[in-house]
Amino acid sequence: MSKILVLAESGFGKSTSLGKIDGLGIKGLDPKETLIISCSDTDLPFPGWAKQYEYLKSDGSGNLFSSNDPTMIIKTINYFLKSRPEIKNFVIDDFNFTMQDYYLDHSKTKGYTTFQSIGFDVGQMFKSFSMIHKSGKNVIVLAHPEMYEVNGVPKFKMKTVGNMVDQYITPMAKFNIVLMGKEEYDDRTKTVNKYFVTGFDGTVRGKAPYGMFEDVYIPNDMGYVLEKVDEYKTKK
């Protein structure tokens, strides 16, 4: 299936894109086929989420797990791959907090050890993401972007901690689909329009296989995205 990275600022609607919201025309994901791992321990931002997503129980039931601990995240992924075959979509929400919270918890540690640990843990999680992909399932990582400049030209990447993750893992290159969140205020209708950017629009750069999406701008709707992913596999 696909490895999908969504980069957008907090409040854009990354998590919102996961739920069915008729008022916004968002199809969202099927909760029966979806595991959400929340790294920020916050409620999901769509109506009825608590009925659709139940926290993981001791008997192994449930489809929502809250943790920013890479070891626990990897164990949970492994459990679902082995014991919950109905789960087709593995969502890691607010992935940045696995790095940021670890750094804050160890901010008084001297030397390079903290950054080495972060780099190792992120590398192990990316191995788990590859296992999900090789199992024929979707891995969807939601994260915050960071802007940097090259010869005065602004560019964007996934926000990380330290240089080790960027230099030795190159997160954005690990995904075959990268969707950038973009929003515009329509002064005429007094509304905000939100999109996922699938390619280069002159400001931000997403990426997707050639011909998967007809437009550079698509709805911020993960259900729509996965429909296009499925269609692409059988496209002639």
Side-chain angles (χ1 to χ4, degrees), residues 3-216:
K3 290 195 287 185
I4 302 169
L5 174 65
V6 179
L7 295 179
E9 297 290 349
S10 179
F12 165 79
K14 300 185 297 298
S15 303
T16 302
S17 74
L18 306 174
K20 186 176 187 296
I21 308 177
D22 293 332
L24 296 177
I26 297 178
K27 302 173 184 177
L29 302 178
D30 183 350
K32 295 179 181 178
E33 299 180 346
T34 303
L35 166 69
I36 296 179
I37 297 177
S38 173
C39 303
S40 59
D41 191 25
T42 57
D43 293 346
L44 298 176
F46 46 84
W49 71 268
K51 293 183 178 179
Q52 301 170 45
Y53 289 92
E54 296 185 357
Y55 282 100
L56 190 61
K57 301 180 179 66
S58 58
D59 63 0
S61 62
N63 56 352
L64 176 62
F65 181 66
S66 179
S67 177
N68 60 5
D69 181 346
T71 300
M72 292 303 300
I73 291 172
I74 292 169
K75 286 183 178 179
T76 302
I77 289 172
N78 290 340
Y79 167 76
F80 274 79
L81 285 175
K82 181 179 179 180
S83 304
R84 298 284 298 276
E86 78 279 12
I87 297 299
K88 299 178 181 179
N89 309 312
F90 289 70
V91 179
I92 316 298
D93 194 4
D94 275 334
F95 179 67
N96 306 87
F97 287 109
T98 62
M99 295 173 276
Q100 292 169 209
D101 290 348
Y102 184 92
Y103 175 76
L104 290 175
D105 289 342
H106 297 81
S107 58
K108 291 187 177 181
T109 302
K110 295 181 180 180
Y112 193 60
T113 305
T114 297
F115 297 113
Q116 286 181 320
S117 296
I118 291 171
F120 176 80
D121 287 342
V122 171
Q124 294 302 302
M125 282 190 286
F126 271 95
K127 287 182 179 180
S128 287
F129 300 162
S130 292
M131 288 175 55
I132 296 170
H133 182 237
K134 291 176 181 177
S135 298
K137 302 173 186 292
N138 297 305
V139 56
I140 302 163
V141 175
L142 312 182
H144 298 158
E146 179 179 5
M147 188 183 78
Y148 64 103
E149 290 189 358
V150 177
N151 297 324
V153 178
K155 296 181 179 294
F156 295 86
K157 66 181 184 68
M158 187 179 82
K159 187 176 182 179
T160 59
V161 175
N163 295 321
M164 189 172 182
V165 174
D166 289 336
Q167 291 179 350
Y168 298 104
I169 298 177
T170 317
M172 291 177 68
K174 297 284 188 177
F175 297 88
N176 61 312
I177 299 172
V178 176
L179 304 174
M180 299 290 297
K182 189 168 186 177
E183 52 190 344
E184 298 175 341
Y185 181 73
D186 188 330
D187 190 59
R188 181 179 59 85
T189 61
K190 308 300 181 184
T191 58
V192 177
N193 299 315
K194 301 188 178 188
Y195 313 97
F196 285 147
V197 182
T198 66
F200 184 55
D201 74 342
T203 305
V204 299
R205 185 184 302 277
K207 74 172 183 179
Y210 173 77
M212 178 174 285
F213 302 107
E214 292 84 3
D215 302 307
V216 174

